[in-house]
């Protein structure tokens, strides 16, 4: 087995005049759980569809499971699309059997296998029910099952958590962990970053068709943490210039949290001492709160795809070095 | 190929093994047939023949009261019975000559004849004619009609003998059976005409014999010899063929459209496309629905053949044409199916499909209507042109070919087939391009111009 489950090289996809994906490079290592993050319209689904050979790139190459295209290895891939549904009038069992047979699963023993899976997904007794009789959450689980029933090596889940209640989301997370434990490669796209944080070991961030960040989750955290100091105070805006002059502060941005006192984020240089900056900030401005921020994925996400301040933040990210984290942007 | 077959099987099962399909295609026609049978059977018992009985007063001013005498001669019991017999014979003859009789095993059935008789016949009863002077008291007579004492009163002025356009009066009661009134009027008419002919010094029988129209026995002369023409077959066979073809092709085409739209609107499309290519899906769908069309064709065509065998009319089925007709079915189906698949893939809702399908209907349906106007002449210019136009070839050619005595040259059949096959290939190719793009497009449905762009992109 090759080290990379998916290799994307210089891929560009245009729809008319709009460039959905722009010169994208990405490697997804075999056996990893890779979170595919980005705001709506960033190009996540387009990239996934190209990986699945549903769209074809205008430029560049994609290889999936060592094949030139997913069309040649479709039976080894499980895919849960973002736009997903069921055949309303088909019975659940027939629907799953149909998709499994399409993916080359022999019919012998298939019924048993599907029934076992339905049990595990807490859907007992729905085999003979019509899909339209199920609740939306149940249909989601059936769709998830449809993606993995043929025991694929690579599982691609596009927004798998959308529409799931917390209990079922937890069930799904545990199943993803389980699949990961079996050595399968899993890619899932989401904009619910909390779930990505809990499940992924790698993240890949895309914005406006371009890769912004790609690396292991620990690497990313190390890079962005603790590199921000948060200061709050009623008149803090007036001290912005003096705070920016503190040694070790690279740039300052306004915090966008409503319902709280005005705040500023001090983005630090790589080699800055956070404790020193905190002390200095308290002396230079009337602050009510100073906080060394532990970056969540959401912070990184918002920072990196921030429409207004993207130049600064991406520059800041670019300055950070590290073997695991690669940040690209042509600002 | 595995995926194409699996998709075809799913498509067939989802369409043909449903209650709606069984009802629409199999049970509903059976019910209609049953209803017709029921109506016919009930009709047999519904109407008892009316009995013609009673007194008819004839106020007649002719010398010797020839009208009253003539009417008596025609409405007396024996006269009525003789007339019934004559009518029955006429009816028998008419039925024997009609196409329907060909379908009756052993000629006209007595049942049919009985039925016809019940519907138009009368039972003979005792009828008395009372001759009255022309100035009889009409008011009193009318009272008698009203009270039921008198069946009818006829007031026939003598000048009717010389003035053909003039009127006479017939008074009948409010509950008079229409058929009895008709019979009385008929008797009066005949009497008056007879009397006129007599007055002119001619023989009525001789005059009627002279105006009897001659009957034709039409024989078609062809290279294979003479055969008695069945002119009705000339219309029935092609119409049945085209109807079968249209029903089968459009039923399955419609199902294809609906199932494609369902896959899109229920968002199951991409799930399916993760397992196979759009081309495999389209091929599977077209094949599966083709099987549905074939089922429809076999059910109805089979019924037709069973009926033909039952009524000993297998001769009207052009057996030698059947293989060719199968080819036309396939061509027609692929032509229509590719259009429906493309349109189905491009839209998200059924009502959006209609605007795109409008022009398609025009291209196909208008020529088919035109063909029916041209049906008497399989080699008319219009029919020929329509035969060379690929979208209409598979609909027009069977009509032309299945008409008895249509001599369509071999080269014409071959060239139209080749043109049509090329047209079908183009249609499938275009549909494939649209399908590939359309299946994952949501939102505003494209216009025809938009579809052309997709074809270029795809």
């Amino acid at each position: 087995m090759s080290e990379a489950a998916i290799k994307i090289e210089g891929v560009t996809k245009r729809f008319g005049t709009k460039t959905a994906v722009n010169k994208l490079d990405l490697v997804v290592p075999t056996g990893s759980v890779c979170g595919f993050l980005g705001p709506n319209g960033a190009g996540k689904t387009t990239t996934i569809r190209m990986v699945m050979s549903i769209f074809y790139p205008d430029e560049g190459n994609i290889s999936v499971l060592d094949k030139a295209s997913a069309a040649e290895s479709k039976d080894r891939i499980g895919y849960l699309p973002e736009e997903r549904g069921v055949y309303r009038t088909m019975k659940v069992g027939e629907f799953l059997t149909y998709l499994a047979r399409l993916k080359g699963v022999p019919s012998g023993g298939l019924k048993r296998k599907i029934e076992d899976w339905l049990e595990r997904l807490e859907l007992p007794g729905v085999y003979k029910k019509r899909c339209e009789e199920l609740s939306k959450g149940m249909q989601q689980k059936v769709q998830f099952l449809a993606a993995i029933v043929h025991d694929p090596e690579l599982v691609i889940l596009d927004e798998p958590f959308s529409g799931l209640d917390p209990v079922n989301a937890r069930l799904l997370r545990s199943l993803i962990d389980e699949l990961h434990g079996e050595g399968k490669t899993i890619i899932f796209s989401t904009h619910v970053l909390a779930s990505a944080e809990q499940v992924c070991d790698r993240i890949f961030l895309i914005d406006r068709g371009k890769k912004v960040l790609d690396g292991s989750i620990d690497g990313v955290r190390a890079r962005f943490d603790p590199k921000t100091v948060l200061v709050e105070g009623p008149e803090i805006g007036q001290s912005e210039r003096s705070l920016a002059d503190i040694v070790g502060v690279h740039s300052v941005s306004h915090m966008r949290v409503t319902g709280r006192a005005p705040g500023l984020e001090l983005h630090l240089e790589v080699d800055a001492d956070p404790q020193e900056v905190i002390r200095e900030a308290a002396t230079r401005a009337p602050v009510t709160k100073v906080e060394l921020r532990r970056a969540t994925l959401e912070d990184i996400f918002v920072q990196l795809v921030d429409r207004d301040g993207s130049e600064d933040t991406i520059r800041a990210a670019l300055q950070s070095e590290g073997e695991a984290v690669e940040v690209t942007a042509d600002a | 190929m595995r995926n194409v077959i699996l998709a075809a099987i799913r498509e067939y099962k989802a369409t043909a093994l449903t209650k709606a399909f069984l009802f629409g295609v199999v049970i509903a026609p059976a019910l209609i047939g049953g209803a017709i049978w029921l109506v016919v059977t009930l009709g047999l018992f519904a109407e008892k023949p009316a009995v013609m009985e009673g007194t008819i007063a004839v106020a007649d001013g002719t010398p010797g009261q020839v009208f009253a005498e003539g009417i008596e001669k025609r409405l007396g019991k024996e006269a009525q019975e003789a007339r019934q017999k004559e009518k029955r014979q006429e009816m028998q003859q008419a039925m024997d000559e009609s196409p329907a009789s060909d379908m009756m095993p052993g000629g006209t059935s007595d049942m049919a004849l009985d039925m016809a008789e019940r519907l138009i016949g009368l039972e003979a009863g005792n009828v008395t004619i009372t001759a009255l002077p022309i100035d009889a008291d009409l008011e009193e007579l009318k009272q008698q009609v009203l009270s039921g004492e008198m069946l009818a009163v006829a007031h026939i002025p003598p000048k009717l003998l010389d003035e053909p356009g003039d009127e006479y009066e017939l008074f009948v009661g409010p509950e008079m059976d229409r058929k009895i009134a008709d019979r009385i009027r008929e008797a009066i008419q005949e009497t008056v005409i007879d009397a006129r002919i007599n007055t002119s010094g001619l023989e009525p029988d001789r005059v009627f014999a002279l105006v009897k129209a001659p009957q034709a026995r039409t024989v078609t002369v062809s290279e294979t010899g003479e055969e008695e023409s069945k002119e009705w077959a000339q219309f029935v066979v092609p119409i049945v063929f085209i109807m079968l073809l249209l029903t089968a092709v459009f039923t399955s085409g419609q199902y294809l459209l609906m199932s494609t739209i369902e896959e899109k609107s229920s968002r199951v499309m991409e799930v399916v496309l993760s397992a196979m290519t759009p081309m495999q899906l389209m091929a599977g769908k077209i094949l599966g629905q083709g099987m549905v069309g074939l089922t429809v064709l076999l059910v109805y065509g089979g019924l037709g053949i069973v009926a033909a065998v039952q009524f000993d009319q297998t001769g009207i089925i052009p057996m030698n044409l059947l293989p060719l007709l199968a080819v036309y079915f396939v061509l027609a189906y692929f032509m229509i199916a590719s259009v429906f698949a493309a349109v189905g893939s491009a839209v998200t809702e059924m009502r959006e499909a209609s605007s795109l399908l409008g022009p398609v209907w025009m291209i196909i349906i208008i020529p088919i209507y035109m063909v029916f106007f041209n049906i008497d002449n399989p080699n008319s210019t219009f029919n020929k042109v329509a035969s060379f136009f690929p979208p209409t070839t598979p609909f027009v050619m069977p009509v032309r070919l299945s008409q008895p005595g249509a001599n369509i040259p071999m080269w014409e059949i071959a060239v139209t087939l080749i043109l049509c096959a090329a047209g079908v290939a183009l249609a499938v190719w275009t549909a494939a391009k649209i399908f590939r793009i359309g299946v994952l497009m949501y939102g505003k449905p494209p216009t025809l111009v938009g579809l052309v762009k997709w074809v270029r992109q795809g």
Side-chain angles (χ1 to χ4, degrees):
Chain A
M1 194 182 283
S2 152
E3 281 189 7
I6 297 176
K7 229 184 261 172
I8 297 176
E9 291 167 337
V11 162
T12 298
K13 177 71 186 174
R14 294 180 199 91
F15 294 106
T17 52
K18 188 177 176 286
T19 304
V21 172
N22 195 357
K23 297 194 190 89
L24 192 72
D25 293 297
L26 174 69
V27 173
V28 177
T30 300
S32 63
V33 180
C34 180
F36 216 56
L37 317 176
N40 295 329
K44 300 188 298 281
T45 297
T46 304
T47 307
I48 287 177
R49 283 179 172 175
M50 284 192 288
V51 168
M52 286 306 298
S53 296
I54 288 169
F55 290 160
Y56 292 90
D58 296 325
E59 286 161 29
N61 293 308
I62 296 179
S63 81
V64 183
L65 298 175
D66 296 331
K67 294 276 165 63
S69 98
E72 295 166 41
S73 44
K74 271 191 169 173
D75 294 355
R76 293 156 62 203
I77 306 173
Y79 174 47
L80 177 70
E82 183 185 14
E83 296 282 2
R84 49 187 175 252
V86 288
Y87 282 108
R88 283 185 278 250
T89 56
M90 239 175 153
K91 296 206 168 85
V92 171
E94 279 177 18
F95 175 64
L96 292 170
T97 307
Y98 174 56
L99 287 170
R101 296 280 293 120
L102 283 177
K103 302 263 189 169
V105 180
S107 50
L110 184 57
K111 183 172 188 240
R112 186 66 201 277
K113 192 172 170 182
I114 290 171
E115 279 174 337
D116 286 350
W117 263 113
L118 287 171
E119 250 349 279
R120 282 179 65 186
L121 282 169
E122 294 164 18
L123 292 170
V126 302
Y127 191 91
K128 287 213 158 92
K129 278 203 175 150
R130 282 166 164 238
C131 291
E132 62 191 352
E133 292 171 45
L134 304 188
S135 73
K136 204 157 177 245
M138 288 161 100
Q139 285 188 13
Q140 292 248 50
K141 291 200 270 182
V142 169
Q143 287 150 1
F144 175 74
L145 181 48
I148 57 162
V149 67
H150 57 294
D151 199 22
E153 294 163 42
L154 170 64
V155 182
I156 300 177
L157 309 168
D158 201 351
E159 298 282 359
F161 298 102
S162 76
L164 282 185
D165 61 50
V167 176
N168 281 318
R170 182 180 295 179
L171 177 70
L172 183 57
R173 272 198 300 273
S174 72
L175 279 166
I176 291 174
D177 279 344
E178 202 176 307
L179 293 172
H180 180 47
E182 289 168 21
K184 299 185 193 314
T185 311
I186 297 156
I187 295 178
F188 70 94
S189 84
T190 185
H191 59 269
V192 184
L193 297 157
S195 36
E197 236 169 338
Q198 288 166 36
V199 183
C200 306
D201 54 19
R202 288 184 71 80
I203 59 165
F204 168 67
L205 182 55
I206 182 172
D207 183 39
R208 287 185 273 195
K210 286 185 181 174
K211 179 163 78 174
V212 179
L213 181 67
D214 174 16
S216 76
I217 198 147
D218 295 337
V220 169
R221 278 239 180 80
R223 207 58 47 210
F224 287 87
D225 179 49
K227 287 291 180 277
T228 305
V229 170
L230 197 74
V231 287
E232 279 180 25
E235 308 286 322
I236 200 76
Q238 292 165 9
S239 317
E240 186 179 342
R241 287 203 62 155
S242 64
L243 289 173
D245 291 339
I246 298 174
V247 176
V249 171
H250 169 263
S251 61
V252 175
S253 64
H254 287 263
M255 232 176 55
R256 289 155 210 291
V257 182
T258 49
R260 279 170 64 175
L264 292 173
E265 282 173 340
L266 312 182
H267 305 290
L268 309 190
E269 306 272 6
V270 183
D271 49 2
D273 175 4
Q275 301 307 325
E276 193 59 43
V277 174
I278 286 171
R279 267 194 299 277
E280 191 59 31
T283 58
R284 291 195 186 194
V287 298
T288 53
K289 184 179 173 189
V290 183
E291 179 183 309
L292 178 59
R293 191 117 171 240
R294 183 183 163 83
T296 62
L297 273 184
E298 192 167 317
D299 297 324
I300 299 167
F301 178 97
V302 171
Q303 229 183 74
L304 289 177
V305 301
D306 181 357
R307 292 277 180 257
D308 306 318
S310 59
E311 201 168 320
D312 277 344
T313 49
I314 291 168
R315 250 181 235 284
L318 266 172
Q319 289 172 351
S320 55
E321 293 161 27
E323 68 303 324
V325 183
E326 182 195 342
V327 177
T328 48
D330 49 6
Chain B
M1 201 57 207
R2 171 195 80 195
N3 289 355
V4 173
I5 291 167
L6 283 170
I9 293 172
R10 195 213 77 82
E11 194 76 17
Y12 184 82
K13 273 186 173 169
T15 307
L17 303 186
T18 60
K19 287 184 197 110
F21 181 84
L22 280 178
F23 186 82
V25 174
V26 183
I27 297 174
L31 282 180
I32 292 169
I36 292 172
W37 176 82
L38 205 66
V39 166
V40 167
T41 315
L42 288 179
L44 269 181
F45 305 105
E47 204 163 349
K48 279 196 172 168
V51 184
M52 181 151 171
E53 223 167 9
T55 309
I56 300 171
V58 181
D60 176 7
T62 54
Q65 296 199 305
V66 287
F67 289 157
E69 192 193 333
I71 293 165
E72 187 162 28
K73 206 172 79 191
R74 287 180 169 82
L75 292 181
K77 194 169 183 187
E78 292 79 37
Q80 281 186 52
E81 277 167 353
R83 192 181 168 80
Q84 295 284 73
K85 212 172 152 190
E86 195 184 315
K87 275 228 159 174
R88 193 181 168 93
Q89 273 170 0
E90 273 174 22
M91 221 142 53
Q92 174 110 40
Q93 202 184 344
M95 281 187 169
D96 286 347
E97 282 166 10
S98 87
S101 74
D102 285 344
M103 301 188 181
M104 300 285 182
T108 316
S109 83
D110 286 347
M111 193 187 85
L113 207 55
D114 278 349
M115 198 170 77
E117 210 161 49
R118 271 166 207 265
L119 289 174
I120 59 166
L122 279 177
E123 199 170 295
N126 289 314
V127 176
T128 317
I129 306 294
T130 312
L132 297 174
I134 191 72
D135 53 359
D137 183 358
L138 278 178
E139 287 313 310
E140 195 195 324
L141 289 167
K142 281 191 225 169
Q143 280 307 315
Q144 286 179 2
V145 169
L146 199 59
S147 68
E149 270 173 72
M150 194 75 80
L151 184 63
V153 173
H155 182 255
I156 312 172
K159 61 178 177 178
L160 269 188
L161 271 182
D162 321 304
E163 290 172 38
D166 221 337
E167 287 178 339
Y168 69 93
E169 283 170 306
L170 179 69
F171 302 100
V172 296
E175 280 167 24
M176 167 65 95
D177 189 291
R178 183 184 48 80
K179 284 180 286 184
I180 295 178
D182 281 348
R183 182 71 197 96
I184 297 172
R185 276 195 290 270
E186 210 176 54
I188 297 174
Q189 272 170 19
E190 287 173 9
T191 303
V192 172
I193 291 168
D194 265 17
R196 281 179 193 154
I197 295 170
N198 277 326
T199 324
S200 326
L202 299 168
E203 273 288 308
D205 287 349
R206 177 78 186 129
V207 172
F208 288 128
L210 286 175
V211 298
K212 197 168 173 12
Q215 294 285 316
R217 188 180 73 91
T218 316
V219 175
T220 304
V221 186
S222 69
E223 281 159 15
T224 51
E226 292 185 3
E227 61 175 303
E228 202 137 327
S229 286
K230 281 180 177 162
E231 279 172 27
W232 60 274
Q234 195 159 338
F235 294 92
V236 170
V237 174
I239 288 175
V240 167
F241 266 126
I242 201 79
M243 285 302 170
L244 267 180
L245 194 68
L246 281 173
T247 310
V249 167
F250 281 99
T251 304
S252 47
Q254 195 74 17
Y255 277 121
L256 181 64
L257 180 71
M258 289 194 301
S259 82
T260 311
I261 292 176
E262 199 225 316
E263 274 164 342
K264 269 192 82 175
S265 65
S266 71
R267 314 268 158 163
V268 78
M269 190 60 95
E270 199 170 342
V271 176
V272 174
L273 289 186
S274 72
M276 60 175 132
T277 64
M279 285 310 93
Q280 288 173 335
L281 177 64
M282 187 176 120
K285 291 179 78 67
I286 289 181
L287 276 185
Q289 293 296 357
M291 293 298 133
V292 173
L294 213 55
T295 307
V296 174
L297 197 64
L298 288 180
V299 168
Y300 287 95
L303 276 181
I305 290 172
V306 167
V309 171
Q310 185 72 32
F311 296 124
D312 203 16
Q313 285 296 316
T314 42
I316 66 167
I317 301 172
M319 289 295 178
N320 54 334
L321 281 181
L322 284 185
L324 201 53
L325 287 166
V327 173
Y328 284 120
F329 168 75
V330 171
L331 290 175
Y333 173 68
F334 276 100
M335 182 72 79
I336 299 301
S338 54
V339 172
F340 279 79
V343 171
S345 74
V347 301
T348 327
E349 276 178 56
M350 202 65 190
R351 67 185 160 77
E352 295 166 352
S354 50
S355 63
L356 285 176
L357 281 174
V360 178
W361 291 118
M362 302 248 284
I363 292 173
I364 293 167
I365 296 296
I366 291 177
I368 294 173
Y369 276 124
M370 296 292 285
V371 166
F372 281 105
F373 288 118
N374 282 274
I375 206 159
D376 333 6
N377 184 2
N379 288 320
S380 72
T381 312
F382 178 83
N383 280 350
K384 282 199 172 183
V385 171
S387 303
F388 283 93
F389 180 53
T392 51
T393 310
F395 298 101
V396 176
M397 284 302 278
V399 182
R400 296 179 63 197
L401 284 165
S402 57
Q403 282 174 82
N407 270 319
I408 295 167
M410 213 49 213
W411 70 264
E412 208 178 310
I413 298 174
V415 170
T416 54
L417 268 182
I418 291 167
L419 273 179
C420 184
V424 167
L426 181 70
V428 173
W429 178 83
T430 312
K433 299 240 162 191
I434 294 173
F435 195 89
R436 243 186 72 180
I437 294 183
V439 283
L440 292 175
M441 283 286 180
Y442 290 97
K444 204 169 141 270
T447 56
L448 277 181
V449 180
L451 285 185
V452 173
K453 275 188 197 151
W454 286 8
V455 173
R456 289 218 197 112
Q457 267 181 44

